[in-house]
Amino acid sequence: MNVLVINCGSSSLKYQLIDSESEAVLAKGLCERIGIDGRLVYQKTGLDKEVTDAAMPTHKQAIELVLQALVNDKTGAIGSLSEIDAVGHRVVHGGEKFAASTLLTPEVLKAIEECNDLAPLHNPANLIGIHACKELMPNVPMVGVFDTAFHQTMPRKAYLYGLPYEYYEKYKVRRYGFHGTSHSFVSKHVAEFLGLDYNKSKIIVAHLGNGASISAVLNGECVDTSMGLTPLEGLVMGTRSGDIDPAIMEFLAKKENLDIEGIMGILNKKSGVEGISGVSSDFRDLEEAYEKGVQGAIDACQVFCYRVAKYIGAYAAAMNGVDVIAFTAGIGENSPFVRKMVVEYLGYLGITLDEAANAERGDDKVISDAASKVKVCVIPTNEELAIARETVALVK
Ligand code: ADP
């Protein structure tokens, strides 16, 4: 079965065509600057990347261009559109309505729309992508895979905030968590990789990318995660602050004469390791500056890693132990420097690092040594493949 995986943002759209039997990526790419001017990036597996400037005033036109590229005589990955058997859409927020992936029926689309309030930057864009695909491929089954779904197993004590309960009742203000597709994929995969029974395991997944979150997965179910009502809470990220004293907002608003939008802009776009360092949000730049002794970069790296280590400690406590810690996403997969700095805090858990294994490149691997009481692993995430698998499971 060929599954087209779509991750639609407000002005960009990423896609992959995946053969679900072999799990091979047949083609992938993205549309950028939708509604502005438009650029299509397309790559059939095994061939060079093609970049074309192409007008795409709407998402529908962007998807049309993707479909044309997929069936293009010269470099198309398939002969005709009838070879697309299903489409899997990433949907950011499913609120409390969706604890699992689901077929996108008109009722489901309405329910997703009702979650727009909770993710005003993401859900409307996801829906635009879904509607555009439905118009262009009316007979192809479509599935929604939610970033929040995996975390719906959290107990009330983990998802209720210390706020008046009426805000939960009236507005559903609670912890939801994000990156759920990745936390689910990586926790299952690491259990399989280590030969553990997923349903009898204590796993901490550290998804460290530009956006970063961490989760506690007990016996195959998420019991806590660091992102909250929105993806702003928790770890210090590329440009997001993560946890702060909420009173800082009032303090800064007064000092800097800012309204709530101004404050939110600072917390989302000007904070995190970029805000601390004044160097960059990218760990490649930060590590370079750290080595050169740039104080801002030293602070940013230390604050970032210390926060990750504190959450690992909290989640080991939440699960009364931990069997496995899995690092994933851009930083988690590619930065031995960050992994080492985090693991150095974890000696009290009986964790010892295999420095050589940590420094090596490569896919799934164990980076703790034989004496370590907890296995520490690097597991590349693959959200597109996870979406394709979920889609096939519902369409078959
Ligand atoms: P997102 O999906 O949230 O945009 P990614 O998971 O793609 O983020 O991670 C991107 C981040 O990964 C970059 O900003 C950078 O900090 C980090 N990164 C990527 N490659 C490396 C590397 N080789 N060394 C250190 N950090 C890296």
Side-chain angles (χ1 to χ4, degrees):
M1 193 182 269
N2 290 330
V3 182
L4 180 61
V5 175
I6 299 275
N7 179 356
C8 190
S10 57
S11 68
S12 69
L13 178 158
K14 292 188 204 144
Y15 64 91
Q16 279 193 10
L17 185 66
I18 295 175
D19 171 356
S20 69
E21 274 87 47
S22 64
E23 301 202 323
V25 177
L26 305 179
K28 65 177 177 183
L30 70 153
C31 299
E32 291 172 301
R33 300 176 62 83
I34 302 169
I36 307 165
D37 37 28
R39 183 183 306 130
L40 173 73
V41 179
Y42 172 80
Q43 184 172 30
K44 180 182 172 177
T45 300
L47 299 183
D48 287 342
K49 205 182 260 182
E50 300 168 24
V51 183
T52 334
D53 287 328
M56 42 183 87
T58 66
H59 287 76
K60 189 175 163 195
Q61 278 144 320
I63 292 166
E64 249 168 346
L65 289 167
V66 170
L67 298 179
Q68 280 167 19
L70 287 171
V71 298
N72 176 306
D73 281 347
K74 282 198 198 117
T75 56
I78 47 176
S80 84
L81 290 184
S82 63
E83 292 173 44
I84 298 177
D85 302 298
V87 182
H89 292 272
R90 175 189 182 209
V91 181
V92 167
H93 218 306
E96 287 188 325
K97 291 184 210 293
F98 299 103
S101 304
T102 177
L103 274 168
L104 293 170
T105 61
E107 297 73 46
V108 166
L109 291 182
K110 198 157 162 281
I112 294 174
E113 207 174 316
E114 285 163 14
C115 300
N116 278 1
D117 249 10
L118 293 168
L121 295 179
H122 294 104
N123 270 33
N126 300 154
L127 280 165
I128 288 171
I130 294 168
H131 286 300
C133 282
K134 281 195 168 266
E135 274 183 55
L136 293 164
M137 295 173 272
N139 300 316
V140 179
M142 307 214 177
V143 168
V145 180
F146 301 88
D147 267 29
T148 49
F150 181 62
H151 303 304
Q152 277 295 303
T153 48
M154 276 187 290
R156 283 166 71 81
K157 66 185 175 190
Y159 72 69
L160 288 176
Y161 287 119
L163 290 170
Y165 189 69
E166 61 176 296
Y167 300 139
Y168 170 59
E169 288 182 306
K170 279 203 279 193
Y171 311 121
K172 294 285 172 225
V173 172
R174 51 160 282 181
R175 173 181 316 286
Y176 291 96
F178 298 86
H179 294 139
T181 311
S182 177
H183 287 288
S184 163
F185 178 87
V186 170
S187 57
K188 274 192 201 116
H189 190 79
V190 78
E192 214 176 270
F193 172 62
L194 294 172
L196 292 176
D197 182 350
Y198 188 50
N199 298 317
K200 284 193 192 127
S201 61
K202 298 173 176 179
I203 300 174
I204 295 176
V205 178
H207 176 112
L208 310 179
N210 199 25
S213 68
I214 185 159
S215 66
V217 184
L218 177 62
N219 303 330
E221 290 191 339
C222 176
V223 292
D224 208 345
T225 192
S226 59
M227 283 179 168
L229 174 76
T230 75
L232 183 54
E233 192 182 348
L235 302 177
V236 176
M237 309 181 209
T239 63
R240 287 177 232 158
S241 65
D243 301 337
I244 58 164
D245 176 351
I248 291 172
M249 297 171 77
E250 187 206 17
F251 183 86
L252 279 182
K254 286 183 176 157
K255 292 280 183 203
E256 296 271 316
N257 197 21
L258 287 164
D259 60 9
I260 195 71
E261 277 77 33
I263 290 290
M264 293 313 292
I266 287 173
L267 298 185
N268 275 303
K269 300 203 174 107
K270 300 233 182 308
S271 300
V273 288
E274 179 170 296
I276 295 171
S277 67
V279 172
S280 171
S281 63
D282 192 309
F283 265 80
R284 284 162 288 202
D285 305 329
L286 288 170
E287 286 175 30
E288 210 183 299
Y290 183 100
E291 296 306 333
K292 287 186 188 143
V294 176
Q295 188 58 43
I298 294 172
D299 285 336
C301 292
Q302 289 183 344
V303 170
F304 179 90
C305 293
Y306 179 61
R307 180 75 56 90
V308 174
K310 281 210 292 187
Y311 264 97
I312 290 174
Y315 289 169
M319 296 192 289
N320 191 20
V322 53
D323 302 319
V324 184
I325 298 168
F327 285 96
T328 194
I331 302 163
E333 291 166 30
N334 296 303
S335 177
F337 167 88
V338 166
R339 293 193 300 254
K340 180 165 187 261
M341 199 183 272
V342 171
V343 170
E344 274 170 356
Y345 289 102
L346 306 178
Y348 71 97
L349 289 171
I351 295 181
T352 37
L353 190 68
D354 176 340
E355 300 246 0
N358 183 44
E360 266 168 34
R361 296 221 141 256
D363 286 351
D364 303 343
K365 61 180 180 185
V366 179
I367 60 166
S368 48
D369 67 15
S372 182
K373 292 214 176 81
V374 176
K375 288 256 187 299
V376 184
C377 297
V378 178
I379 303 288
T381 191
N382 192 337
E383 287 163 285
E384 290 78 12
L385 177 58
I387 292 174
R389 284 181 182 166
E390 294 275 307
T391 303
V392 171
L394 281 163
V395 164
K396 258 194 174 156

